[in-house]
């Protein structure tokens, strides 16, 4: 059967004369509603892979198919949550999301519906209290919530998140993970998330894609996480399956594919 | 039992905090106002003492007040010809600045946006701009008089050509400094050219543009006062030159103070406009 998202034999090299090969032969299929994490050491090419799926980068070899259609440019059907939120600082929280809503649903929804949809998505991430605040008036965690609301509001086929919680403290991060997990449960969106955090990967994912070290990185191993949903971080602490998954990822990252010492 | 101490604990610091805060405010104002007041008093004092002496070629402040009293107190008189109050001269100069500066803002932002888009255009044109922007305002005047054969357009052109460079260069730098993240957001949303221009480019570059506009307005004012000395007619520059020709040194001093104050106000006006427009935007 045809996969929802099909990344097939993707390779990527940068530069003209002295080309550096970043990715080789990356193949991955993702089904609708899957939550897939990509984990790997810094610089191995995770962001590059995500940007190729987003269409922000063109891969050198191979290709990406979304619902059978080739991905060749960025678009709102593959909404991105950037690591540093990248909200527009001159717009309010509401207007940041509204900009996306107006652009994506300008033709199909009335003005009132778009207003409603903007508020609805901000409510999903519990940001209704700060509609008129500007990004520099809210905390890092709140900014990331708005970034997620903006991406969700586009009703993407695939939600792409590049280390969405990387810049947050542990408590805020846990709160946001719970929010994202809850939203995934309710909305059933297809998600690709890059992370550095093993616990985060195990907690959130259906599958964990582990990448080998660059240059010329590729997928080393894919670990299915079969823990039942909804998951609860406290209960998982005593769950042997959780610890087995965790140990498998750690073994991959720190035994078989240790970070190159030159860092 | 627990109620009382908490209440007392809350209310007494509130009271004791309010008083030093009020005192602090007064102190703040004093600390801000006193230094400039003292400085000005000192300058006036030294000036008075130095210029009081016999044989001094410049008048002391007391004499300035005395001889130019009408000029200071009645800026609005108009006896026809060039014999007008300072207000009319300043208005004439400011209206020239308004034309020249508006032109340089429009052209500077427009061309800056175009150039900022392209690395090649920036590389090619930047050296040219860097050289042209160092040409002193008055050096353009003969050329523009030759081109326009009339004094008003020449003066306006001098303002334009002096103040356009900082606006243009800053705008193009601002456009080039737009973070890749914002471009990526625009690409994911598939903003078209016009939407990108209005929704991303202009607001992102606004702080840079206003820095350029602020430098530009200062240069405009510099240029017009100098240019008017040579082209004549109603205007604060020629007023100063005329006063020098009639040996009215006190009038020159009064006019200089006005020139300084107007320049200061122009700068603050643009800064204020920038803050109002870009309120909340920290880049
Ligand atoms: N535009 C580019 N030109 C040349 N090389 C690039 C470019 N973008 C990325 N690279 C290289 O590709 C490699 C992978 O980069 P990438 O940002 O994808 O890594 P990453 O896995 O996301 O790292 P991190 O976890 O630190 O974010 C790096 O070695 C980087 O130097
Ligand atoms: Mg990265």
């Amino acid at each position: 059967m045809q996969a929802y998202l099909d990344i097939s034999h993707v390779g990527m090299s940068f530069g003209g004369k002295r080309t550096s090969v970043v990715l080789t032969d990356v193949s991955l299929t993702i089904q609708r509603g899957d939550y897939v994490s990509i984990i790997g050491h810094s610089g191995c090419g995770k962001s590059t892979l995500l940007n190729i799926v987003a269409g922000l980068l063109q891969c050198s070899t191979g290709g990406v198919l979304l619902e059978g259609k080739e991905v060749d440019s960025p678009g709102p059907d593959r909404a991105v949550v950037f690591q540093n939120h990248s909200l527009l600082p001159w717009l309010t929280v509401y207007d940041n999301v509204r900009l996306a809503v107006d652009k994506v649903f300008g033709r199909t929804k009335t003005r009132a519906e778009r207003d409603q949809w903007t508020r609805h998505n901000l409510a999903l991430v519990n940001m209704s209290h700060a509609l008129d605040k500007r990004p520099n008036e809210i905390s890092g965690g709140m900014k990331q919530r708005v970034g997620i609301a903006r991406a969700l509001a586009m009703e993407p086929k695939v939600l792409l998140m590049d280390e969405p919680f990387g810049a947050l403290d542990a408590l805020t991060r846990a709160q946001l993970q719970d929010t994202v997990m809850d939203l995934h449960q309710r909305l059933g969106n297809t998600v690709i998330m890059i992370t550095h955090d093993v616990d985060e990967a195990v907690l959130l994912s259906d599958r964990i894609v582990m990448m080998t070290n660059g240059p010329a990185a590729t997928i080393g191993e894919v670990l299915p996480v079969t823990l039942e949903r909804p998951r609860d971080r406290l209960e998982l602490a005593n769950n042997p399956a959780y610890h087995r998954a965790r140990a498998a990822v750690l073994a991959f990252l720190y035994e078989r594919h240790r970070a190159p010492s030159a860092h | 039992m627990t109620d009382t101490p908490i209440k007392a604990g809350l209310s007494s610091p509130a009271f004791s905090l309010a008083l030093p805060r009020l005192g602090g405010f007064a102190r703040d104002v004093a600390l801000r106002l006193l230094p400039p007041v003292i400085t000005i008093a000192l300058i006036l004092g030294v000036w008075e003492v130095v210029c009081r002496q016999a044989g001094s070629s410049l008048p002391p402040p007391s004499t300035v007040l005395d001889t130019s009293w009408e000029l200071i107190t009645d800026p609005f008189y108009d006896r026809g010809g060039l014999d007008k109050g300072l207000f009319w001269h300043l208005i004439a100069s400011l209206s020239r600045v308004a034309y020249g500066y508006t032109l340089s803002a429009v052209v500077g932002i427009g061309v800056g946006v175009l150039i900022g888009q392209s690395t090649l255009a920036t590389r090619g044109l930047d050296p040219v701009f860097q050289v042209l922007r160092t040409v002193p305002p008055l050096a353009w005047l003969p050329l523009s008089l030759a081109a326009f054969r009339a004094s008003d357009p020449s003066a306006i052109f001098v303002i334009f050509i002096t103040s356009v460079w900082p606006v243009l260069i800053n705008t193009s730098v601002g456009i080039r400094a737009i973070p890749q993240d914002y471009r990526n957001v625009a690409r994911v949303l598939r903003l078209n050219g016009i939407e990108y221009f209005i929704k991303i480019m202009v607001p992102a570059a606004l702080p840079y543009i206003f820095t350029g506009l602020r430098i530009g307005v200062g240069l405009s004012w510099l240029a017009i006062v100098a240019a008017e000395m040579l082209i004549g007619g109603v205007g604060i520059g020629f007023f100063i030159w005329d006063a020098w020709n009639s040996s009215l040194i006190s009038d020159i001093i009064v006019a200089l103070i006005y020139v300084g104050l107007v320049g200061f106000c122009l700068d603050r006006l643009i800064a204020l406009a920038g803050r109002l427009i870009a309120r909340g935007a920290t880049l």
Side-chain angles (χ1 to χ4, degrees):
Chain A
M1 96 189 202
Q2 192 196 14
Y4 189 58
L5 178 72
D6 187 357
I7 303 170
S8 73
H9 307 290
V10 162
M12 185 73 191
S13 10
F14 285 108
K17 260 188 188 168
R18 259 181 288 136
T19 48
S20 60
V21 181
V22 176
L23 296 172
T24 45
D25 202 29
V26 175
S27 291
L28 183 69
T29 55
I30 294 175
Q31 296 308 327
R32 196 185 197 118
D34 263 3
Y35 198 117
V36 174
S37 296
I38 299 177
I39 200 164
H41 290 291
S42 187
C44 71
K46 304 181 294 291
S47 297
T48 306
L49 180 58
L50 196 86
N51 285 338
I52 288 171
V53 177
L56 293 167
L57 284 176
Q58 297 284 320
C59 52
S60 322
T61 57
V64 178
L65 293 177
L66 176 60
E67 284 193 315
K69 278 201 226 65
E70 169 124 37
V71 166
D72 56 0
S73 64
D77 57 340
R78 281 152 289 124
V80 185
V81 177
F82 298 92
Q83 172 164 9
N84 42 358
H85 66 78
S86 56
L87 299 179
L88 304 176
W90 53 87
L91 294 181
T92 60
V93 161
Y94 174 89
D95 285 331
N96 263 288
V97 179
R98 181 66 189 262
L99 175 67
V101 172
D102 281 348
K103 188 59 198 166
V104 178
F105 299 107
R107 295 231 173 77
T108 50
K109 284 191 201 304
T110 65
R111 178 177 283 272
E113 282 169 341
R114 279 178 272 147
D115 171 68
Q116 185 63 33
W117 182 240
T118 305
R119 289 170 192 279
H120 169 74
N121 278 280
L122 280 161
L124 284 181
V125 295
N126 306 320
M127 283 302 294
S128 297
H129 61 284
L131 296 181
D132 295 322
K133 293 245 166 67
R134 299 202 186 240
N136 61 342
E137 296 168 330
I138 58 179
S139 71
M142 293 186 191
K143 283 179 206 163
Q144 209 50 278
R145 283 176 188 273
V146 179
I148 292 170
R150 178 173 65 184
L152 287 177
M154 300 178 209
E155 278 196 328
K157 292 177 179 157
V158 188
L159 180 63
L160 305 171
M161 304 201 277
D162 190 346
E163 295 183 41
F165 318 125
L168 305 177
D169 64 273
L171 290 175
T172 313
R173 178 192 290 235
Q175 278 177 359
L176 247 82
Q177 288 165 350
D178 289 342
T179 304
V180 166
M181 199 156 40
D182 175 49
L183 288 175
H184 177 242
Q185 189 77 14
R186 281 158 62 189
L187 308 176
N189 22 33
T190 313
V191 184
I192 303 181
M193 175 183 79
I194 293 178
T195 179
H196 273 137
D197 183 333
V198 177
D199 293 294
E200 178 172 292
V202 176
L203 176 67
L204 294 176
S205 320
D206 298 312
R207 279 187 298 155
I208 302 175
V209 173
M210 295 174 265
M211 301 207 30
T212 63
N213 290 326
T218 187
I219 293 176
E221 204 176 309
V222 178
L223 179 82
V225 182
T226 49
L227 298 167
E228 276 199 16
R229 293 183 186 271
R231 298 173 185 170
D232 179 303
R233 66 176 70 244
L234 292 176
E235 283 167 19
L236 287 181
N238 305 317
N239 186 328
Y242 174 78
H243 289 283
R244 274 200 299 278
R246 218 175 152 272
V249 178
L250 286 172
F252 179 92
L253 288 178
Y254 298 105
E255 281 173 27
R256 276 172 286 156
H257 296 274
R258 204 189 295 241
S261 51
H263 249 281
Chain B
M1 174 60 196
T2 48
D3 250 3
T4 338
I6 287 173
K7 258 190 180 168
L10 274 178
S11 58
S12 68
F15 273 112
S16 56
L17 269 176
L19 278 175
R21 224 184 258 152
L22 238 171
F25 180 70
R27 209 170 42 231
D28 252 25
V29 170
L31 279 175
R32 270 171 192 282
L33 277 183
L34 272 184
V37 167
I38 292 174
T39 316
I40 291 169
L42 271 177
I43 291 173
L44 288 175
V46 170
W47 176 9
E48 181 76 37
V49 169
V50 170
C51 294
R52 255 286 158 78
Q53 281 150 9
S56 155
S57 50
L58 295 176
S62 53
T63 314
V64 171
L65 272 183
D66 209 32
T67 49
S68 303
W69 186 247
E70 196 199 354
L71 201 62
I72 298 169
T73 51
D74 185 11
F76 300 108
Y77 73 85
D78 186 353
R79 297 198 200 96
L82 295 182
D83 194 4
K84 298 174 197 290
L86 277 178
F87 174 80
W88 302 110
H89 288 286
L90 287 168
I91 282 296
S93 300
L94 281 172
S95 73
R96 291 189 185 111
V97 166
Y99 283 118
Y101 180 68
T102 307
L103 196 63
S104 82
V106 171
V107 172
I109 293 172
V111 177
V113 164
L114 288 180
I115 289 167
Q117 312 264 18
S118 143
T119 311
L120 217 61
T122 309
R123 283 208 194 119
L125 290 170
D126 195 57
V128 179
F129 296 154
Q130 297 295 348
V131 170
L132 286 181
R133 93 188 158 87
T134 61
V135 174
L138 278 191
W140 291 105
L141 189 58
L143 196 65
S144 70
L145 279 171
F148 293 105
R149 297 171 184 283
S151 58
D152 249 3
S154 304
I156 290 169
F157 176 77
V158 167
I159 295 173
F160 163 74
I161 202 76
T162 311
S163 59
V164 76
W165 308 117
V167 180
L168 197 161
I169 293 170
N170 272 49
T171 302
S172 75
V173 168
I175 298 291
R176 299 180 66 71
I178 296 175
Q180 186 61 41
D181 281 337
Y182 301 167
R183 296 177 200 272
N184 283 346
V185 169
R187 290 177 65 196
V188 168
L189 286 176
R190 293 212 176 119
L191 297 186
N192 62 34
I194 296 167
E195 289 168 330
Y196 180 68
F197 179 76
I198 296 173
K199 304 222 158 114
I200 310 275
M201 209 190 264
V202 169
L206 216 54
Y208 290 84
I209 294 175
F210 266 95
T211 308
L213 285 174
R214 224 176 134 180
I215 301 171
V217 83
L219 289 177
S220 296
W221 193 235
L222 281 182
I224 191 56
V225 174
E228 280 173 351
M229 288 194 174
L230 297 183
I231 60 166
V234 178
I236 193 70
F238 188 67
F239 175 87
I240 293 173
W241 195 246
D242 200 35
W244 157 243
N245 283 331
S246 330
S247 305
L248 297 169
I249 307 295
S250 308
D251 285 8
I252 297 180
I253 291 170
V254 173
L256 284 189
I257 292 171
Y258 270 96
V259 168
L261 289 177
V262 169
F264 175 80
C265 291
L266 284 178
D267 180 67
R268 284 307 149 103
L269 203 67
I270 301 297
L272 182 74
R275 266 208 302 283
L276 285 183
I277 291 177
R279 188 169 47 192
T282 41
L283 291 169

